Amino acid sequence: MSLLRLCAFPKCRTGRLLFERSVKHLLYADQCHVCLRIRNDNQRRIGETPWTIYRRNYSALIPKKEDGKKRLWEQSQLLDVLEARIQQLQSDVVLDVKHTEVQFVKFPQSGKGAPSVKGQASKKGGGTDPQPPKTQTTRWMEKLNREKSKTKKVLQHQPKSSEKPAKIKVIKSSPKTLSTAVSTKPTTKGAKALPKSDAPRPAASSKDALTQELPKSLGPAVSSDAFSREDALAEVEELDVELNQWSSASPVKLLEDREGNRYGDAQLNVRSYVEACVFAGDVERAQRCLLAHHHQLSRRKLLSIGLYNVMMRVWAKRGSVNQIGRLFVLVEEAGLKPNLGSYAAALECMGRNPNCSPRIISRCLQQLVENGLSLDDLFRQCMFRQDEREMVLKAIHAVEPDFQPSMDSEPKICSSPLVKDFYSERDSVEYPKLDFSLAELQERFGRQLAMEQADTVTIESVEALKPVTERMAKMREQLDDLRSHWHKALLNALRESKLMLANSGMKYWKLNVYPYLCLLEDREYVDIMLQGLCSLPPNGESLLILARDLGSRVYNKLCIRQKSQSHMADKLKRIYDRYAELLAKDMEKCNVLPRERWVELEAEMSSGPTLLGDDSQWPHILLAQLGTHLVDLMVRELKVQGNILSPSQDKKLIPVLYHMYTFRSNRKIGFIKPHPILTQILSEAMETKLTFDSYVMPMLCPPVPWTSPKFGAYLLTPTKLMRSSEGAVQHQLLLERCQDQDLHAVLDSLIQLGNCAWKINKPLLDIIISIFNDKGSEKLDIPPPLSEAPQVPRFNPLDQAQTPAEKAFMKREVVRCKKRVAEMHSLRMDALYKLSIANHMRDEVFWFPHNMDFRGRTYPCPPYFNHLGSDVTRAILLFAEGKPLGPKGLDWLKIHLVNLTGLKKRSSLAGRLEYANSIMDDILDSADRPLTGKKWWMSADEPWQTLACCMEIANASRSPDHTQFISHFPVHQDGSCNGLQHYAALGRDVIGATSVNLMPCEVPQDVYSGVAQQVEEFRARDAAKGVKIAQVLQGFISRKVVKQTVMTVVYGVTRYGGRLQIEKRLKEIDEFPGEYVWDASHYLVHQVFNSLKEMFTGTREIQDWLTESARLIAKSGSTVEWVTPLGLPIVQPYHRTKNQVLKSNIQVLNLQVNHDASERPDTVKQKNAFPPNFIHSLDSTHMMLTALHCYSAGLTFVSVHDCFWTHAVTVDTMNKVCREQFVALHSQPILQELSRFLLQKYGAGLPNDRRNKKFLEYRRMLMLLSKVPQTGDFDLQRVKESTYFFS
């Protein structure tokens, strides 16, 4: 039987039997449960033998015990009465809104037992049936009667010409089709919602159209008159669905991709399991898992078309057309529709099978077209590995020899008006090149590829610079011996556990971790476990965090292994070698963007594997499950001699790791803690090597340009375009649903940020390392070693000599010291990692690939060492490309220096420059003798960046011509309370705009000082009235006290949080009386909010509008979504927390998940987070626009959110671009567009019952969303003239 016949036969058979089963439900509606159960038992016995024969002739994949056993009996018995029963239905089950009664029948959800009659709804004034008691069902029927009367009026007003054949709605795909249309009782808790494909759909009104929708064997027996009044019947069902939606809150559906693949944790878990089995070569286990889930209806919902495609690709590799056909049958049985991936697998299979008939290929292509798909889309959208693409083409060429897949010839332009000119007007633009030759870039690519293929990088620790003592050498030797022993023990234990799991005898639908333990070499799992052991802090780590870390390491290694096996690396090298021509300085300049060039090259080299991967992201519960298995092995197998450090003690093996429990935030959690012996050995050995994952390191070549949400940044390491909380997938799905061109501006800005080359400031790094290895300095933010930590006091709680007060004091001291030790260790290791990576890259040029969070804010991908780090890491970074200072460059360096010191904040630029010139002696002394001179730089707000700037100024001022001095130093320009700047621009608030420097002024306006001044006025007024706390606060209100609260109000801080911030500042003032701290902080936060309300009237109105809108949207059951002016879709991932229980050998883990889209939104988080998240999305949009236009102007540009960096010579140009893009952004109707989007998104489905509480809430939400806050009279164009907007 051919593929298409296999696909067509079950479709006809299934639709036919579903319709027959629906009729059977009505046929036996008046029978009792006992009779029907006896009848079903007889059916089962009758059906066993014929079904076995039928199954053998049809497919060996269908099991004996499938629910479809009864189908043959239904087929043979019901066909005899079908025609008569249809005629009976025409007269019995017709809804007439003018007269007749409608009997509502409730069928059991299980399908067993006889249905019971719940009651009848009769026309008012007619009928004598007794009325049922006042129940929920009766109330529903009253609503139905009201709708019927409305429909009656509509029908009475229709013209007589409406007597033409009515538009018919055919309800398909459900075994309870007809009964569903007349059921009155709301769906029970255990019932499942119908999928979208099961909803009533309009069909052609002709008889031919009806017979196409129904099974062919039933076509002649069913006349069009049988359904001439089904319009009204379908309306009843639609009303039922609508009322159910608004009578009880329906849960949020799981997010799906554009092909209908579901992405809940359960669905991802099954798909990941099957993919792991396939990758490990255990095809039989994968097939059994798929069939076990498919043949059980309750588990079939966990399957998606993507999962069936995984198995299709397996059989396609083997050229098994029969197996592909059987999988198509299963897809049809599951109610799914084959997609492009399904047909790609089928065609690949036919291309590999030399005996495949061209007729089968032709029918497959015909079926593809009939399903609304195209071959061009197949080649554009499908992911191919190895030679899969060639095999698909081979099959197509067997019937269409001249076919060649066509690519999009016309490039699509981003639709945002903000970047229309950027993309369309490029005739005179020449984008900048990197300061490297083509050969250098190609050589760097090879090194980066080798590093990622190795997956880990081992580097020298900066502590290796210390002299090696005899004790250190001994500890290192012992540690090497222990690791060798532990490696063997873990290897044996891992192999034994795999044997036990493989032969556990579990049911095929139960998933364990066995396939995931077969993805890598055994030694690689052991290396991962030992790497996790060495990185364990002395005070231990949460079991869940440690488990997820180990599971993530396995997943990353798997992704790299998959790409290597698919020969993707070879194709990547060929494309990158050509792509490097765009960036190399020895090649011609052009006006093509990096993303565009990469897409062109991919189209040219389309043969071979696809660079995009299509494997599933492992759900967080799977990472935890795999990780806990590895942690359990570590706890059981890692041992050490108890006398290894003290030979006088007993010689016995003791565990290296302990599993214990502790409390955090009143929750009992599992904890893995190392034995003090291991901690002591590691601290005394002071190993000279550190091992990191390859993605931790900066890249050695320019990153791969982002071309889609799935591809970009690293060469092989999987990277998300949008960061999200562990396990959240809704952000990625939103991005994938976007039109490609809508994301171009966002992708291009990320590429521009990632293409900035960096190098190390070696003189400064050496100074920092010397202090780090010499007990550190807390004043200079260099963490001291643990040897400087306070000793944890020892005391015996049972000691009778101590009083209870003394014991309580000692307990508090122990807790305080342990906390301090843990903090010092964390800070020390963080600094060690950063400095070691910097020292490893000291002679290299490197790049930071970028991605973004769900609000659009950009971040470098390497987690430890990047320019978003602390003062230390920023100070040791320089631009790899140098540019001459020019006539004003040295002045900008001096102004930047004063900005770093935190002095002269209220001074003009001329005043800051004058101050810098007046302290040139201190600047030069700091540069020449940083550790032995006056040490002026140490008193600055940012001491290390200040010292680096002093060195740059000294070198430039001492050069023969400072205008020609080549500077690599980045100069910063900071926004003036950037969040309030966006609020003031949105509200066109004149007073607020002046306070945050949107309005040009002679000197910079300091909003924090302004608020402090106004609060002081309020305080003086209250003190005159005799308010005690106002009198106590005299002389203590300063800029520093209110700054943090003012800064965070715009980002949603509450009065409670603001009070805590002010309380902390007051406690830092030694002179302030401690007994008044609470009252004073409570008073001040009230005055700060009042001051901001007066200064920023428009800001508060907009913030309140956003907050209340989010509250009503979340209360309606939806998460808040919006789209930035650049077209980036955003959804807030705050849902109610649900608990997931994970049973493992070591502990039962209770996972708290708050990102599950199937849960209702968390209303409090949704409303509190919307205003700050919306403002963050605007400041990221402003930054991206600035990045794009700086790139077209030839500038080097990077950002730290609202702090923009460039060379000293180009600061003026960057400032001009920054202001122009801010004006362009806020010239758009941002709030109006947001209102329009929210109304379109959440304004559908208004309830018909106006007395319903849901209707009132819904109406209130719509009124609020449509009422955009009023704006003021501020002229945005004035921003272009404001010197201190960014300064």
Side-chain angles (χ1 to χ4, degrees):
M1 185 177 290
S2 69
L3 169 67
L4 295 188
R5 290 178 64 191
L6 273 174
C7 295
F9 180 66
K11 180 177 181 181
C12 174
R13 181 177 60 84
T14 304
R16 174 178 176 177
L17 294 181
L18 291 179
F19 187 86
E20 293 166 1
R21 186 176 300 177
S22 303
V23 175
K24 187 187 73 169
H25 280 304
L26 289 177
L27 183 63
Y28 300 145
D30 55 347
Q31 297 186 9
C32 67
H33 289 268
V34 177
C35 296
L36 193 59
R37 185 164 59 251
I38 294 173
R39 180 184 295 274
N40 288 340
D41 291 339
N42 291 334
Q43 292 176 7
R44 192 176 300 107
R45 285 194 294 271
I46 292 172
E48 285 178 357
T49 304
W51 169 245
T52 304
I53 298 172
Y54 179 74
R55 179 183 60 81
R56 290 176 180 172
N57 290 337
Y58 176 59
S59 172
L61 297 177
I62 302 177
K64 295 180 180 180
K65 294 184 179 181
E66 190 186 0
D67 186 55
K69 279 178 168 184
K70 300 180 292 183
R71 294 179 184 172
L72 190 62
W73 187 89
E74 294 171 2
Q75 211 173 12
S76 59
Q77 300 295 325
L78 285 180
L79 281 176
D80 297 335
V81 297
L82 185 58
E83 184 174 359
R85 185 55 181 162
I86 293 277
Q87 294 174 357
Q88 182 182 357
L89 286 173
Q90 293 176 15
S91 58
D92 290 348
V93 193
V94 174
L95 175 63
D96 192 336
V97 297
K98 296 182 179 180
H99 52 80
T100 67
E101 299 175 350
V102 181
Q103 184 174 358
F104 296 87
V105 183
K106 168 67 175 69
F107 291 99
Q109 294 295 332
S110 62
K112 297 179 181 180
S116 59
V117 177
K118 302 299 293 184
Q120 297 179 345
S122 61
K123 186 178 179 182
K124 291 183 179 181
T128 59
D129 293 336
Q131 294 296 324
K134 204 75 172 177
T135 62
Q136 177 66 28
T137 303
T138 306
R139 288 195 296 269
W140 187 94
M141 290 162 58
E142 291 175 356
K143 296 177 182 178
L144 179 62
N145 288 334
R146 287 195 296 269
E147 288 300 318
K148 287 166 57 180
S149 63
K150 293 178 183 178
T151 307
K152 179 179 178 180
K153 294 178 181 179
V154 172
L155 293 176
Q156 289 175 347
H157 287 84
Q158 287 181 351
K160 294 184 178 181
S161 59
S162 61
E163 295 176 1
K164 295 179 181 179
K167 191 175 182 180
I168 298 172
K169 294 186 179 181
V170 180
I171 306 171
K172 300 170 34 180
S173 304
S174 173
K176 301 177 182 179
T177 303
L178 294 177
S179 62
T180 304
V182 295
S183 176
T184 65
K185 188 171 181 178
T187 306
T188 60
K189 183 177 180 180
K192 306 298 181 185
L194 288 174
K196 288 183 179 180
S197 59
D198 294 340
R201 295 180 294 184
S205 59
S206 65
K207 181 178 179 179
D208 292 340
L210 269 177
T211 55
Q212 288 176 5
E213 292 291 330
L214 296 173
K216 292 183 179 179
S217 60
L218 299 181
V222 183
S223 66
S224 60
D225 294 338
F227 298 93
S228 59
R229 302 180 187 176
E230 284 226 358
D231 241 348
L233 197 63
E235 289 177 5
V236 173
E237 185 180 38
E238 292 173 355
L239 177 63
D240 180 50
V241 173
E242 184 174 285
L243 288 175
N244 281 335
Q245 286 177 348
W246 286 96
S247 62
S248 60
S250 57
V252 180
K253 293 183 179 180
L254 287 173
L255 288 176
E256 300 179 354
D257 63 13
R258 62 179 66 179
E259 295 179 344
N261 293 311
R262 291 164 293 206
Y263 282 85
D265 285 346
Q267 285 84 2
L268 284 175
N269 210 21
V270 177
R271 179 166 177 175
S272 300
Y273 183 88
V274 172
E275 288 177 344
C277 292
V278 170
F279 185 81
D282 196 348
V283 177
E284 182 182 359
R285 184 183 297 269
Q287 183 86 342
R288 290 200 304 259
C289 175
L290 174 64
L291 295 179
H293 282 79
H294 175 84
H295 295 314
Q296 186 70 32
L297 292 179
S298 61
R299 291 190 290 271
R300 187 182 292 180
K301 64 183 180 181
L302 302 179
L303 307 181
S304 63
I305 186 61
L307 182 54
Y308 290 95
N309 290 350
V310 171
M311 292 308 303
M312 287 187 192
R313 296 176 78 160
V314 174
W315 298 118
K317 291 286 186 297
R318 305 183 182 186
S320 178
V321 178
N322 290 335
Q323 292 287 357
I324 294 288
R326 290 170 180 170
L327 285 169
F328 266 83
V329 171
L330 297 182
V331 169
E332 295 291 335
E333 286 184 359
L336 301 174
K337 185 177 180 181
N339 63 1
L340 291 172
S342 310
Y343 290 108
L347 291 170
E348 178 197 349
C349 179
M350 297 170 188
R352 294 186 188 277
N353 191 331
N355 300 321
C356 184
S357 168
R359 185 172 58 87
I360 296 179
I361 299 175
S362 297
R363 297 185 66 179
C364 180
L365 296 178
Q366 180 183 357
Q367 185 173 327
L368 180 147
V369 174
E370 289 174 355
N371 285 347
L373 307 175
S374 72
L375 283 177
D376 288 335
D377 288 339
L378 185 147
F379 285 97
R380 290 192 195 107
Q381 301 177 21
C382 287
M383 315 300 172
F384 299 106
R385 300 173 184 169
Q386 299 175 351
D387 62 342
E388 292 176 359
R389 190 176 189 276
E390 284 66 33
M391 291 298 104
V392 173
L393 272 175
K394 179 181 177 182
I396 297 173
H397 287 163
V399 294
E400 297 183 20
D402 298 329
F403 172 80
Q404 287 298 328
S406 63
M407 300 299 173
D408 292 333
S409 56
E410 296 183 3
K412 297 178 180 178
I413 303 299
C414 181
S415 58
S416 173
L418 291 169
V419 290
K420 180 180 179 182
D421 294 342
F422 175 80
Y423 286 107
S424 59
E425 300 177 3
R426 286 193 273 174
D427 296 336
S428 59
V429 176
E430 290 185 352
Y431 296 122
K433 298 275 190 175
L434 297 179
D435 193 23
F436 297 95
S437 66
L438 178 61
E440 288 174 332
L441 290 176
Q442 292 173 345
E443 184 268 338
R444 288 178 172 278
F445 169 84
R447 293 167 56 196
Q448 176 67 26
L449 182 62
M451 183 174 71
E452 292 192 38
Q453 287 176 329
D455 188 53
T456 57
V457 180
T458 301
I459 66 175
E460 290 283 343
S461 167
V462 293
E463 291 184 331
L465 302 177
K466 292 184 177 180
V468 180
T469 63
E470 183 179 350
R471 179 69 173 175
M472 289 169 59
K474 182 180 179 181
M475 290 297 101
R476 290 176 184 178
E477 183 180 352
Q478 286 185 342
L479 195 55
D480 290 340
D481 293 340
L482 287 173
R483 281 185 180 141
S484 177
H485 174 73
W486 291 339
H487 193 281
K488 294 177 182 178
L490 288 174
L491 197 61
N492 293 332
L494 177 64
R495 290 170 178 169
E496 290 176 4
S497 70
K498 287 172 64 175
L499 286 175
M500 292 178 60
L501 289 171
N503 303 314
S504 61
M506 293 174 59
K507 295 181 180 179
Y508 297 136
W509 56 267
K510 289 188 176 181
L511 313 180
N512 61 17
V513 298
Y514 173 73
Y516 306 104
L517 297 175
C518 302
L519 301 174
L520 310 174
E521 299 291 336
D522 291 343
R523 61 172 181 80
E524 293 181 281
Y525 291 99
V526 175
D527 291 340
I528 288 174
M529 287 186 275
L530 291 179
Q531 188 178 348
L533 174 68
C534 294
S535 61
L536 204 62
N539 59 325
E541 185 60 273
S542 162
L543 170 61
L544 182 58
I545 293 176
L546 179 59
R548 283 178 175 170
D549 180 61
L550 297 180
S552 298
R553 292 176 190 270
V554 175
Y555 176 75
N556 288 335
K557 277 183 175 286
L558 170 66
C559 291
I560 295 173
R561 182 72 53 84
Q562 286 174 328
K563 292 177 181 178
S564 298
Q565 289 189 3
S566 68
H567 307 303
M568 196 198 86
D570 298 333
K571 181 175 181 178
L572 185 66
K573 184 179 185 308
R574 294 196 303 271
I575 294 178
Y576 197 95
D577 286 347
R578 294 277 305 279
Y579 168 73
E581 297 174 1
L582 181 73
L583 307 177
K585 64 181 180 181
D586 55 349
M587 305 300 291
E588 293 183 2
K589 289 188 177 183
C590 63
N591 60 354
V592 178
L593 292 166
R595 173 189 50 80
E596 296 170 341
R597 181 58 176 157
W598 188 277
V599 171
E600 290 175 2
L601 293 171
E602 264 198 278
E604 290 179 16
M605 306 180 192
S606 57
S607 60
T610 309
L611 297 183
L612 287 176
D614 62 341
D615 291 289
S616 304
Q617 174 73 34
W618 285 1
H620 70 290
I621 194 168
L622 171 57
L623 297 174
Q625 184 181 10
L626 176 59
T628 51
H629 182 83
L630 299 180
V631 172
D632 181 51
L633 294 179
M634 295 167 64
V635 172
R636 287 192 288 108
E637 300 299 328
L638 296 182
K639 310 284 185 181
V640 66
Q641 293 291 344
N643 65 343
I644 189 171
L645 296 178
S646 302
S648 59
Q649 295 183 356
D650 295 338
K651 184 178 181 180
K652 64 176 182 179
L653 289 175
I654 58 175
V656 173
L657 299 176
Y658 286 89
H659 175 233
M660 54 194 300
Y661 291 92
T662 186
F663 286 90
R664 284 187 178 177
S665 300
N666 298 324
R667 292 186 65 241
K668 184 180 178 182
I669 63 170
F671 218 69
I672 303 297
K673 189 170 183 179
H675 195 281
I677 290 179
L678 175 63
T679 302
Q680 185 175 347
I681 292 176
L682 288 173
S683 63
E684 293 184 3
M686 297 183 67
E687 290 187 289
T688 61
K689 302 290 185 182
L690 294 173
T691 300
F692 296 107
D693 296 313
S694 59
Y695 67 86
V696 168
M697 305 296 292
M699 290 188 69
L700 300 175
C701 66
V704 174
W706 286 104
T707 57
S708 76
K710 288 186 175 182
F711 183 75
Y714 293 102
L715 307 182
L716 300 177
T717 306
T719 311
K720 289 183 178 180
L721 173 63
M722 185 172 280
R723 304 180 179 199
S724 59
S725 55
E726 193 74 37
V729 298
Q730 50 265 55
H731 310 292
Q732 185 71 18
L733 295 176
L734 268 181
L735 292 173
E736 292 175 12
R737 287 175 180 171
C738 287
Q739 296 294 327
D740 291 341
Q741 63 271 20
D742 290 341
L743 293 177
H744 284 174
V746 174
L747 299 180
D748 289 335
S749 63
L750 289 173
I751 296 167
Q752 191 276 330
L753 296 173
N755 276 349
C756 176
W758 300 87
K759 71 175 186 177
I760 297 296
N761 187 338
K762 291 187 281 188
L764 194 68
L765 176 63
D766 293 335
I767 296 173
I768 295 173
I769 291 176
S770 67
I771 296 177
F772 179 83
N773 286 331
D774 186 24
K775 297 186 178 181
S777 170
E778 292 190 6
K779 179 184 177 182
L780 298 176
D781 201 24
I782 307 295
L786 285 182
S787 60
E788 302 299 310
Q791 292 295 322
V792 179
R794 298 178 179 273
F795 81 102
N796 184 6
L798 303 178
D799 187 1
Q800 300 297 326
Q802 292 181 320
T803 65
E806 291 174 338
K807 291 180 180 180
F809 173 77
M810 291 301 294
K811 286 182 179 179
R812 290 194 298 270
E813 280 297 298
V814 169
V815 171
R816 185 187 66 81
C817 291
K818 286 184 176 180
K819 182 180 179 182
R820 177 61 179 159
V821 169
E823 290 173 351
M824 289 182 63
H825 178 268
S826 177
L827 293 172
R828 180 74 177 182
M829 296 306 295
D830 180 66
L832 175 65
Y833 292 164
K834 291 176 178 177
L835 295 178
S836 297
I837 293 172
N839 193 54
H840 179 72
M841 308 296 293
R842 64 184 299 132
D843 297 318
E844 294 281 0
V845 174
F846 49 89
W847 287 261
F848 296 128
H850 279 62
N851 61 0
M852 57 187 171
D853 65 11
F854 74 91
R855 303 164 300 184
R857 280 200 147 190
T858 59
Y859 297 86
C861 295
Y864 296 126
F865 180 65
N866 58 64
H867 63 283
L868 258 69
S870 62
D871 174 47
V872 174
T873 51
R874 293 187 188 189
I876 57 181
L877 283 170
L878 297 172
F879 290 138
E881 181 184 4
K883 292 186 177 181
L885 283 178
K888 296 182 63 177
L890 183 58
D891 291 345
W892 274 117
L893 284 175
K894 293 177 181 179
I895 293 171
H896 176 56
L897 174 69
V898 177
N899 291 343
L900 291 170
T901 64
L903 306 172
K904 306 297 179 181
K905 290 182 178 292
R906 301 295 297 269
S907 299
S908 64
L909 294 182
R912 299 177 202 181
L913 180 59
E914 181 181 355
Y915 174 73
N917 289 327
S918 68
I919 58 169
M920 279 299 295
D921 291 341
D922 292 333
I923 294 173
L924 296 177
D925 177 75
S926 297
D928 297 336
R929 297 180 297 164
L931 300 179
T932 59
K934 301 178 184 178
K935 303 179 184 179
W936 168 83
W937 61 276
M938 291 187 181
S939 60
D941 285 355
E942 308 285 352
W944 290 109
Q945 292 180 77
T946 301
L947 178 58
C949 195
C950 288
M951 293 179 174
E952 188 76 0
I953 292 173
N955 293 333
S957 61
R958 290 167 179 169
S959 63
D961 181 3
H962 69 82
T963 62
Q964 298 301 315
F965 176 77
I966 303 300
S967 174
H968 298 261
F969 197 84
V971 175
H972 310 170
Q973 294 287 279
D974 260 318
S976 179
C977 199
N978 192 238
L980 284 174
Q981 286 180 328
H982 283 285
Y983 266 126
L986 285 173
R988 303 296 196 271
D989 187 353
V990 177
I991 299 176
T994 305
S995 302
V996 290
N997 294 302
L998 297 187
M999 184 77 77
C1001 298
E1002 293 295 329
V1003 294
Q1005 302 298 304
D1006 184 18
V1007 65
Y1008 311 116
S1009 299
V1011 172
Q1013 181 179 349
Q1014 192 160 14
V1015 170
E1016 172 60 23
E1017 293 176 2
F1018 293 157
R1019 185 210 63 79
R1021 182 189 60 194
D1022 291 341
K1025 295 178 181 179
V1027 178
K1028 176 65 175 176
I1029 194 62
Q1031 296 171 349
V1032 172
L1033 279 166
Q1034 183 175 359
F1036 293 106
I1037 297 177
S1038 64
R1039 179 183 187 273
K1040 184 177 182 181
V1041 170
V1042 303
K1043 177 180 177 181
Q1044 187 179 11
T1045 305
V1046 174
M1047 186 187 304
T1048 53
V1049 159
V1050 67
Y1051 297 125
V1053 72
T1054 61
R1055 291 179 184 266
Y1056 174 78
R1059 192 200 67 78
L1060 293 178
Q1061 294 169 346
I1062 294 175
E1063 178 183 298
K1064 186 177 181 180
R1065 299 284 83 82
L1066 291 176
K1067 286 181 178 180
E1068 295 173 354
I1069 304 175
D1070 297 334
E1071 297 81 8
F1072 191 79
E1075 64 271 18
Y1076 291 104
V1077 166
W1078 195 94
D1079 290 334
S1081 60
H1082 186 271
Y1083 173 82
L1084 285 180
V1085 74
H1086 180 72
Q1087 301 302 337
V1088 168
F1089 273 70
N1090 286 342
S1091 174
L1092 287 172
K1093 192 171 184 179
E1094 288 190 11
M1095 294 176 64
F1096 297 88
T1097 54
T1099 295
R1100 206 64 196 174
E1101 291 177 5
I1102 295 172
Q1103 196 170 24
D1104 292 343
W1105 181 71
L1106 294 173
T1107 301
E1108 185 64 12
S1109 298
R1111 187 186 71 82
L1112 293 176
I1113 290 171
K1115 194 174 180 181
S1116 71
S1118 302
T1119 53
V1120 180
E1121 297 182 33
W1122 71 97
V1123 178
T1124 71
L1126 270 186
L1128 179 67
I1130 296 175
V1131 57
Q1132 294 192 146
Y1134 311 122
H1135 295 265
R1136 292 182 181 177
T1137 301
K1138 79 171 184 179
N1139 293 326
Q1140 282 185 307
V1141 177
L1142 173 60
K1143 296 181 179 179
S1144 64
N1145 293 333
I1146 191 171
Q1147 175 190 331
V1148 176
L1149 285 171
N1150 188 9
L1151 309 181
Q1152 290 190 324
V1153 181
N1154 58 9
H1155 60 264
D1156 190 349
S1158 63
E1159 297 292 321
R1160 285 185 63 83
D1162 186 322
T1163 304
V1164 174
K1165 287 185 178 180
Q1166 289 283 344
K1167 76 179 184 66
N1168 288 341
F1170 185 33
N1173 287 341
F1174 181 71
I1175 294 301
H1176 279 311
S1177 71
L1178 290 183
D1179 71 44
S1180 72
T1181 300
H1182 175 224
M1183 186 279 298
M1184 290 178 178
L1185 289 170
T1186 305
L1188 292 175
H1189 287 84
C1190 283
Y1191 181 65
S1192 63
L1195 274 65
T1196 299
F1197 174 89
V1198 292
S1199 77
V1200 181
H1201 303 318
D1202 60 346
C1203 178
F1204 298 167
W1205 298 13
T1206 190
H1207 287 93
V1209 69
T1210 55
V1211 170
D1212 291 314
T1213 306
M1214 184 187 73
N1215 279 337
K1216 181 175 179 293
V1217 172
C1218 170
R1219 286 152 178 76
E1220 289 175 349
Q1221 295 312 310
F1222 185 87
V1223 172
L1225 170 63
H1226 283 282
S1227 296
Q1228 301 295 313
I1230 295 176
L1231 293 180
Q1232 289 76 11
E1233 290 293 337
L1234 174 65
S1235 172
R1236 188 177 298 111
F1237 175 84
L1238 295 178
L1239 285 170
Q1240 182 180 1
K1241 179 75 178 178
Y1242 307 107
L1246 182 66
N1248 293 323
D1249 187 1
R1250 295 178 178 269
R1251 292 175 295 179
N1252 193 331
K1253 182 180 178 182
K1254 290 284 184 181
F1255 174 83
L1256 299 177
E1257 293 179 356
Y1258 192 84
R1259 182 173 176 271
R1260 180 184 176 190
M1261 179 182 71
L1262 295 185
M1263 291 178 64
L1264 178 69
L1265 295 180
S1266 61
K1267 188 177 180 181
V1268 178
Q1270 296 295 320
T1271 58
D1273 301 325
F1274 173 66
D1275 182 8
L1276 267 179
Q1277 298 299 321
R1278 301 300 303 276
V1279 175
K1280 296 181 180 179
E1281 307 166 16
S1282 176
T1283 303
Y1284 304 104
F1285 167 63
F1286 266 62
S1287 64

